């Protein structure tokens, strides 16, 4: 479980860093970024597509960091609470499974592999705990 949580937290931290540093999450076409910086979504003129893009990336990163820290902490400090709580275990499995579906449908191979490894470690930890 700690390995699963660590992978998720590292993916979240890496994603957060790449959101603000370097060109990895920038559009290849500079014109697209310029357009995103001046175009508003239909729902509001209070933001631009670029600011929404940054916010989505940051909130996505925070979700992975929160998952990693929460499940890692419980696995280390309170394993009895974690492994005896069906709702917590189902929630963790659900979150990682949804990230896996998203990675497969919308992202690229590195997050797919990372989330796949995290999910695999999560499932293995359940098998070990319940063996």
């Amino acid at each position: 479980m700690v390995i699963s949580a660590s992978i998720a937290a590292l993916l979240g931290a890496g994603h957060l860093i790449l959101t603000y540093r370097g060109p990895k999450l920038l559009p290849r076409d500079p014109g697209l970024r310029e357009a995103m910086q001046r175009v508003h979504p239909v729902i509001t003129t209070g933001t631009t597509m670029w600011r929404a893009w940054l916010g989505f990336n940051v909130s996505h990163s925070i979700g992975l960091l929160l998952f990693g820290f929460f499940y890692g902490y419980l696995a280390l400090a309170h394993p009895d609470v974690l492994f005896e709580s069906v709702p917590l275990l189902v929630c963790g499995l659900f979150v990682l499974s949804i990230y896996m579906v998203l990675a497969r449908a919308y992202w690229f191979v590195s997050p797919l592999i990372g989330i796949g490894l995290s999910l695999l470690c999560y499932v293995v930890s359940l098998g070990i705990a319940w063996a």
Side-chain angles (χ1 to χ4, degrees), residues 8-127:
L10 286 172
L11 287 170
H15 193 268
L16 184 61
I17 291 166
L18 291 176
T19 298
Y20 290 108
R21 298 274 185 226
K24 298 289 187 186
L25 292 178
L26 297 177
R28 289 182 187 269
D29 178 355
L32 178 58
R33 180 177 177 179
E34 292 168 10
M36 289 173 74
Q37 288 173 329
R38 68 174 185 273
V39 173
H40 304 282
V42 173
I43 195 169
T44 183
T45 58
T47 192
T48 63
M49 292 306 296
W50 183 253
R51 288 177 48 196
W53 162 260
L54 289 174
F56 296 146
N57 277 290
V58 170
S59 65
H60 173 74
S61 301
I62 290 170
L64 282 168
L65 284 165
L66 182 60
F67 177 91
F69 290 136
F70 182 77
Y71 280 86
Y73 169 76
L74 286 176
L76 290 171
H78 302 286
D80 53 323
V81 171
L82 176 59
F83 289 104
E84 292 175 15
S85 173
V86 172
L88 283 176
L89 295 174
V90 169
C91 182
L93 185 61
F94 177 76
V95 167
L96 287 177
S97 296
I98 292 299
Y99 274 123
M100 187 72 175
V101 169
L102 292 171
R104 177 79 171 103
Y106 301 111
W107 304 334
F108 50 99
V109 72
S110 296
L112 179 63
I113 291 170
I115 291 297
L117 287 173
S118 181
L119 181 57
L120 177 65
C121 290
Y122 190 94
V123 170
V124 167
S125 74
L126 295 180

